[in-house]
Amino acid sequence: MNGDTVTIASYQVKAGDVVSIREKSRKQLRVANSLTVAAQVGFPDWLEVNEKEFRGTFKAALAAATSCRISTKTSLSSCIRSNAGV
């Protein structure tokens, strides 16, 4: 997160935060597959992704979702759905 390691599962991202994948994790097949699938499905408007550098930047448009407390993949999906009006 912004060049530092974050070990808090419920860390709250803010607009402008940069999330990157550690160098050793980039070589994992599951990471590469996840990035490929995400690129095929399409990245959300509130996230700017640099696939070559394995990082993403949360844009200011995420303002409504930044209030979500994200502690699991499930709650992340719920947060995205609730803020997208789904």
Side-chain angles (χ1 to χ4, degrees):
M1 180 65 59
N2 299 321
D4 295 323
T5 300
V6 175
T7 58
I8 302 168
S10 61
Y11 182 84
Q12 293 184 22
V13 295
K14 297 177 285 305
D17 280 348
V18 177
V19 178
S20 58
I21 299 173
R22 294 184 300 177
E23 187 68 37
K24 73 177 192 176
S25 298
R26 295 176 186 190
K27 298 173 185 168
Q28 294 180 8
L29 186 57
R30 64 183 173 171
V31 171
N33 287 343
S34 295
L35 189 56
T36 299
V37 169
Q40 291 172 349
V41 172
F43 298 107
D45 292 337
W46 47 262
L47 182 64
E48 181 180 314
V49 177
N50 183 327
E51 296 175 67
K52 292 180 181 178
E53 295 185 14
F54 292 86
R55 70 176 173 204
T57 304
F58 287 89
K59 297 180 179 181
L62 182 63
T66 57
S67 62
C68 289
R69 291 187 59 89
I70 300 170
S71 59
T72 65
K73 290 178 186 175
T74 302
S75 63
L76 174 59
S77 297
S78 300
C79 176
I80 292 169
R81 281 193 302 276
S82 67
N83 283 293
V86 177

